[in-house]
Amino acid sequence: MTRALRATQRVALAAARCTSTAAPVRSLCLLQQRPVAARNVQASPSARAPRSFGTTAARAQTPAAAEPVVEEEEPDVLPSPEELSVVADEVVAPQDPNKRFKYRFRTSAGVVAWEGAYLRFRYANEQWDDHFTLSTLWLRDSCECRRCVDPHSGQKTFSTTDLPDAPTIKHAMIRYDKALELTFANDKASGGGDHTVRFSAKTLAEWRAAGSRWHRFAFTPHKPDIIPWDRASYEALLAEGRCRVSYNDWVQDEAAFFEALRDLSQTGLIFVTDVPQDEASVERIATRIGPLMHTFYGWTWDVRSKPQAENVAYTNVFLGLHQDLMYHDPIPGLQLLHCLANDCAGGESLFSHGLRAAYELKLTQPQDYDTLCARKTWFGYRRNGHHHFARHSTIVSGQSRQPTEVCWAPPFQTTFPLATNPRQVDNVRQWRSAAKKFQQIAESERNTFEVKLKPGECVIFDNRRVLHGRREFDAGNTGSRWLKGAYVAKAVYHAAQTRLAEYTRALGMALPPMKGSGERAQKYVEEALAARQAKQ
């Protein structure tokens, strides 16, 4: 059979299955098709491996003893008018996304194939092993056109429940600009007619890179790697000019603000200098990050010694390392303290990186680390009509067992449940033993950074990771110590970190990898411990 005759048969077969509305786009495809050629493709070991849904990997799994897969360049096949007239509102049984799909359409840019609940596509320079398989329900639900997402509010105009289990695709194609264009038939969510959805090449690339982690609006920032510092390493950062920023630069200079925000993300502790000496300054500093967090202490609050104080922070006694509002939901993400006066004897501020202590415990006493991750303690506050209780693990670990947060506040810790049997007694003893070792590491001189705040300085620290405290002070008859405080919620802080990532990306700067930050932080501590042992 001649090449021309084979091409004519392909055109005739596709034309018989297509509607008139698809003819203009079909011509783009069919005129550029190459002659049909059967190719024997021997499946490689990687191609025979299981493939996961929603990744760039191939979906086929070929047994080792199976015959070679024969892939033919089939003619384009689109649904017939009779098939499009049926709207499947019933639940569609799961199907195998690895099989050869019934419908397909090829352009010079790529090939799309679909059937029932799945759609698969690949670009022209890729093999089917590189294809990407997606749910048709997910694709229809993810449309962001003006009819589906309000351009002003950014909110959806329909409910996912308005869609059928497997929306009917009338036509699909890879455009010349490598965008994916789909036309859904009988689309109730948009009035019952055809509805065209288009996803740009950039969006498709994001899907392939992020896989199942991709969500609309849920941009995962490439946060800078954490620096779990000790006293010497933090002092070295200050000597390099890091972790300090002037008030004017923080408020007015975008580049200086994001540089300081990077330092805050990495170390959890920065200082703003030359702050105007008024009570509203702490609010202006905080709102540069985002809105203030309101608690029963108010939007802002004063830290100064007073009689019959409702909080130990409002006294002049020694205040050990801790974190604020462990009994509150949510726990504040950031804390700010602006020094308005500090001319008394004593009153030095103490800081220690809680994750540093967690990593050291993990490396030296792994069993105690596991105990603090598993056992939870209660925190509470019950004064002046405010009644709060919460339960947290001392060390919060992620999926890779790396510490992500700590919860340490001995002054605000309530009792354990009644220990009435040997198992309960043993649980309390195990926690106490492990917690004592964590405390010794956190409070050690080598891990504690001490500074006496001066009027016009404001400290910002991560309340989920950095512990803070204060030495006893004596105001006497003339001296005083007055700090103005404020909180920023964790969600607001994360939004600011997203802005930091977007700012960094816009400048074309290299972004850190999204995975492995915990392992790199642990390596940082591990190397520091090894260097310390080598000196001894």
Side-chain angles (χ1 to χ4, degrees):
M1 186 181 292
T2 64
R3 249 183 225 178
L5 181 55
R6 287 199 299 268
T8 303
Q9 287 180 338
R10 287 202 315 276
V11 174
L13 177 58
R17 299 299 304 275
C18 299
T19 62
S20 58
T21 56
V25 290
R26 285 199 312 112
S27 62
L28 170 66
C29 167
L30 298 176
L31 290 177
Q32 296 177 349
Q33 272 192 328
R34 293 171 295 179
V36 175
R39 293 178 294 139
N40 292 334
V41 182
Q42 179 66 44
S44 63
S46 61
R48 290 194 295 268
R51 306 290 184 167
S52 59
F53 174 78
T55 67
T56 58
R59 311 298 176 205
Q61 182 179 4
T62 306
E67 293 296 327
V69 178
V70 179
E71 180 181 343
E72 298 182 356
E73 292 187 356
E74 298 180 350
D76 301 312
V77 180
L78 299 176
S80 67
E82 291 76 17
E83 292 170 316
L84 293 173
S85 64
V86 179
V87 179
D89 285 324
E90 70 278 1
V91 176
V92 177
Q95 65 187 68
D96 181 9
N98 304 319
K99 72 174 187 178
R100 187 187 295 272
F101 292 160
K102 182 176 181 180
Y103 310 112
R104 59 188 285 144
F105 194 83
R106 181 192 308 273
T107 66
S108 59
V111 183
V112 184
W114 69 94
E115 185 178 358
Y118 293 101
L119 175 142
R120 181 165 61 199
F121 74 90
R122 67 174 173 87
Y123 290 121
N125 60 343
E126 297 175 331
Q127 301 296 324
W128 272 122
D129 278 354
D130 301 312
H131 69 238
F132 200 62
T133 302
L134 292 163
S135 159
T136 55
L137 172 59
W138 185 88
L139 286 165
R140 175 61 190 90
D141 189 56
S142 300
C143 179
E144 297 187 36
C145 73
R146 297 175 65 89
R147 295 176 65 182
C148 295
V149 176
D150 185 274
H152 304 291
S153 67
Q155 264 116 65
K156 290 173 65 175
T157 60
F158 68 94
S159 170
T160 305
T161 57
D162 298 333
L163 304 174
D165 218 34
T168 302
I169 296 180
K170 182 177 183 179
H171 191 273
M173 65 182 295
I174 298 292
R175 291 163 43 88
Y176 66 92
D177 56 359
K178 293 192 175 183
L180 175 63
E181 184 174 284
L182 314 173
T183 299
F184 290 92
N186 308 313
D187 187 67
K188 292 182 179 180
S190 59
D194 292 349
H195 185 76
T196 299
V197 180
R198 186 176 299 167
F199 300 103
S200 68
K202 179 181 177 182
T203 299
L204 299 184
E206 290 177 357
W207 293 353
R208 288 187 162 197
S212 59
R213 298 189 307 274
W214 189 93
H215 294 83
R216 188 169 71 96
F217 285 166
F219 172 71
T220 303
H222 292 254
K223 298 177 184 177
D225 281 348
I226 297 171
I227 301 177
W229 47 264
D230 58 6
R231 177 177 56 82
S233 57
Y234 189 77
E235 289 176 347
L237 290 171
L238 290 175
E240 295 173 8
R242 295 188 58 181
C243 301
R244 285 191 184 276
V245 60
S246 71
Y247 172 84
N248 287 336
D249 285 346
W250 176 268
V251 174
Q252 300 176 7
D253 189 322
E254 188 177 57
F257 166 75
F258 281 118
E259 184 176 351
L261 188 62
R262 179 207 62 185
D263 288 342
L264 179 60
S265 297
Q266 290 193 288
T267 66
L269 177 66
I270 65 170
F271 295 88
V272 183
T273 62
D274 304 318
V275 181
Q277 289 298 88
D278 63 77
E279 295 188 47
S281 290
V282 70
E283 182 175 352
R284 292 192 293 270
I285 295 172
T287 52
R288 186 72 169 93
I289 301 171
L292 292 177
M293 177 179 175
H294 189 272
T295 68
F296 60 84
Y297 291 109
W299 293 106
T300 62
W301 25 271
D302 297 294
V303 181
R304 60 200 315 181
S305 179
K306 62 180 180 179
Q308 299 179 343
E310 67 272 23
N311 190 302
V312 66
Y314 301 161
T315 67
N316 66 337
V317 301
F318 174 80
L319 183 57
L321 291 172
H322 68 284
Q323 294 157 278
D324 276 17
L325 273 64
M326 289 292 105
Y327 45 78
H328 194 275
D329 186 15
I331 300 170
L334 295 176
Q335 182 173 170
L336 295 87
L337 293 171
H338 172 212
C339 181
L340 292 165
N342 197 10
D343 55 0
C344 58
E348 292 82 4
S349 296
L350 307 173
F351 299 97
S352 179
H353 203 303
L355 289 191
R356 170 73 181 220
Y359 277 117
E360 285 197 23
L361 188 68
K362 183 173 184 285
L363 292 168
T364 58
Q365 304 288 338
Q367 186 173 355
D368 292 317
Y369 175 87
D370 292 339
T371 296
L372 296 186
C373 289
R375 303 274 189 268
K376 293 188 177 182
T377 56
W378 284 94
F379 301 91
Y381 184 90
R382 195 172 187 174
R383 289 288 184 276
N384 302 327
H386 303 293
H387 190 177
H388 298 270
F389 279 92
R391 191 166 68 120
H392 304 288
S393 299
T394 303
I395 299 175
V396 181
S397 61
Q399 293 182 348
S400 59
R401 290 189 64 253
Q402 301 294 349
T404 57
E405 295 180 1
V406 294
C407 298
W408 182 257
F412 309 104
Q413 185 180 323
T414 65
T415 60
F416 287 90
L418 282 173
T420 58
N421 58 60
R423 182 181 61 82
Q424 292 171 330
V425 172
D426 190 53
N427 286 342
V428 176
R429 287 177 173 173
Q430 284 183 8
W431 183 89
R432 176 207 167 271
S433 176
K436 184 175 182 180
K437 295 172 184 175
F438 172 85
Q439 184 178 25
Q440 289 172 342
I441 296 172
E443 293 181 352
S444 64
E445 183 178 353
R446 66 176 182 270
N447 284 336
T448 303
F449 174 70
E450 181 174 334
V451 62
K452 184 164 184 173
L453 293 175
K454 301 175 183 177
E457 287 185 326
C458 178
V459 61
I460 309 175
F461 54 92
D462 189 332
N463 188 59
R464 302 278 187 131
R465 294 175 172 175
V466 173
L467 315 180
H468 69 287
R470 179 204 62 217
R471 295 202 180 279
E472 181 181 0
F473 64 92
D474 182 11
N477 296 323
T478 58
S480 64
R481 186 179 189 273
W482 178 19
L483 306 180
K484 195 76 176 181
Y487 295 121
V488 173
K490 178 181 179 180
V492 174
Y493 178 37
H494 282 188
Q497 290 176 311
T498 300
R499 283 160 36 213
L500 168 63
E502 292 171 342
Y503 174 81
T504 304
R505 177 179 294 173
L507 293 179
M509 299 173 63
L511 295 172
M514 296 178 64
K515 289 185 177 181
S517 59
E519 288 78 2
R520 290 190 293 274
Q522 177 172 309
K523 187 69 173 177
Y524 178 93
V525 177
E526 193 172 1
E527 291 175 350
L529 291 178
R532 186 183 300 163
Q533 287 182 347
K535 291 181 180 179
Q536 293 176 351

